[in-house]
Amino acid sequence: MKLVHLSDLHFPVELPFTSLKGKMIPGYLNYTFRRRKKYPISLWNAIVRKVKSLNPDAIVISGDITNVSHWKEYDESKKILEPVLGDKTFMIPGNHDRYTDLAAGKKGSDLPYYEKFFSPWMGESIPLQNGYLRIKKIGKLALVGWDSNMPLSVLNAYGYVGEEIVHSTLEYLEKEKLDQYILICHHPIWNPPERQESSGHKMKNREEIAEILKKRPPLAYLHGHVHTNWVKYPDPQKPYYVINSASSTRISDQKHQSGFHLMEWNKTELNIKRFSFSNEEGEFTETQTISYQEKETNGR
């Protein structure tokens, strides 16, 4: 079974400045002057070509398709994503997709924008008293989606997943006899030592979550949020792969080694390959995986 993992696509959608409100204004200005040129649509077109050639059994997108959660961003992003949307696709939101109360469905009883546009590719919603749990079954593998995001001030981008969601997830997997699963959440559960996050950017309770997951570890934890790739191999504290494919559509530079990963699972092991954009070839090509072993790091 082959799975492609994409994240933090941040599609370059131009917005009317007069339509922006509140934190969308500084957020869009930051995107326009600092980040937009780093996300040419040509890289997305190259990803589509490569994904089609890989012919995966599943395509996972772990959040941040938008920049400030504007309605027009969702409308345009759905059109851009159309070549990879189908029965194979599984999507979760990122913090930029829950940027405002309105987009996150916090005002009134309206659905969040992400659900309005992408529900067909978000998997089955598992009923809970509180919280978000989505699951998509592909063969004998379950893809499990969490939402770690919430509308925050413009200076914050931290995440949180309630422990009750983690317990509910493990109970559901046990009940449905789903032995093998991959967990998808936007915020990292681990960072390399040189990529540690501030308290305003990281997932607040990730060590508590990691402790609970030891009871029934996933094959892998897929995420984004930090815009450079890595793979952490299983260790006693986190006995599963931690795979970051952010930011798939960003031009690489000295601080951001961008791209995406292909996972090949043969029911006994997971083989991981990284693809990054080659300026010489104008395509995504297989490149060296940025990997971490337990002995190489004490990153938490």
Side-chain angles (χ1 to χ4, degrees):
M1 179 178 291
K2 296 191 294 185
L3 299 90
V4 162
H5 174 214
L6 309 173
S7 197
D8 295 66
L9 304 175
H10 291 293
F11 289 127
V13 178
E14 187 171 349
L15 302 175
F17 193 77
T18 54
S19 69
L20 304 177
K21 297 179 180 179
K23 66 176 287 190
M24 296 172 76
I25 296 172
Y28 187 66
L29 288 173
N30 176 60
Y31 161 70
T32 300
F33 292 110
R34 292 186 57 202
R35 296 170 63 182
R36 183 168 184 167
K37 291 182 180 179
K38 300 171 184 175
Y39 287 86
I41 198 66
S42 58
L43 262 68
W44 170 250
N45 295 332
I47 284 177
V48 170
R49 292 192 296 270
K50 177 54 68 175
V51 169
K52 286 185 176 181
S53 72
L54 293 171
N55 191 27
D57 300 289
I59 301 169
V60 173
I61 303 173
S62 56
D64 275 6
I65 58 171
T66 68
N67 295 289
V68 295
S69 286
H70 192 285
W71 180 271
K72 185 180 178 183
E73 286 186 290
Y74 278 98
D75 191 42
E76 292 296 321
S77 294
K78 186 177 179 181
K79 297 172 186 175
I80 296 169
L81 281 166
E82 193 275 333
V84 300
L85 296 178
D87 294 340
K88 300 177 178 181
T89 313
F90 184 64
M91 304 173 62
I92 64 160
N95 62 295
H96 282 267
D97 305 319
R98 304 289 203 209
Y99 205 66
T100 64
D101 286 336
L102 183 62
K106 301 292 184 183
K107 290 188 175 181
S109 58
D110 214 3
L111 276 175
Y113 288 177
Y114 204 88
E115 280 80 344
K116 276 189 175 183
F117 281 86
F118 298 112
S119 279
W121 306 284
M122 294 173 68
E124 176 188 358
S125 180
I126 308 303
L128 299 174
Q129 187 172 0
N130 290 298
Y132 176 111
L133 175 58
R134 297 250 180 178
I135 293 183
K136 184 180 185 70
K137 300 171 187 174
I138 302 216
K140 294 186 177 181
L141 186 66
L143 304 178
V144 177
W146 288 345
D147 183 1
S148 56
N149 315 285
M150 65 202 85
L152 298 167
S153 72
V154 73
L155 298 176
N156 286 301
Y158 60 79
Y160 181 86
V161 175
E163 291 186 19
E164 66 277 10
I165 302 298
V166 189
H167 288 296
S168 294
T169 299
L170 301 188
E171 289 167 7
Y172 179 85
L173 293 168
E174 180 72 26
K175 177 185 173 185
E176 297 295 317
K177 296 180 171 58
L178 297 171
D179 296 326
Q180 303 288 357
Y181 74 103
I182 288 178
L183 187 56
I184 302 101
C185 184
H186 183 66
H187 287 80
I189 201 167
W190 174 93
N191 294 72
E194 68 274 21
R195 290 285 179 178
Q196 293 299 303
E197 298 175 90
S198 69
S199 61
H201 197 260
K202 69 191 292 185
M203 185 153 65
K204 293 288 188 182
N205 62 332
R206 65 188 196 176
E207 291 306 323
E208 290 83 355
I209 291 171
E211 189 64 28
I212 300 170
L213 286 176
K214 287 181 184 178
K215 299 175 183 177
R216 195 183 182 93
L219 289 170
Y221 179 103
L222 312 186
H223 69 89
H225 197 49
V226 181
H227 291 181
T228 192
N229 296 166
W230 65 67
V231 173
K232 183 196 77 66
Y233 282 77
D235 63 43
Q237 291 303 311
K238 294 176 181 64
Y240 40 84
Y241 292 90
V242 178
I243 303 172
N244 179 17
S245 284
S247 173
S248 302
T249 49
R250 181 181 179 126
I251 295 173
S252 293
D253 55 37
Q254 287 185 339
K255 293 184 178 180
H256 304 87
Q257 298 185 68
S258 305
F260 68 90
H261 294 92
L262 171 71
M263 286 151 277
E264 296 178 289
W265 180 56
N266 63 9
K267 299 182 182 179
T268 59
E269 62 181 359
L270 200 63
N271 182 37
I272 303 166
K273 298 177 181 178
R274 176 174 171 252
F275 291 82
S276 63
F277 186 75
S278 166
N279 290 315
E280 292 76 17
E281 299 187 32
E283 300 288 349
F284 276 81
T285 60
E286 187 175 348
T287 190
Q288 183 177 2
T289 303
I290 303 166
S291 60
Y292 295 84
Q293 299 280 2
E294 181 190 10
K295 65 180 180 181
E296 296 173 352
T297 178
N298 60 358
R300 295 172 65 87

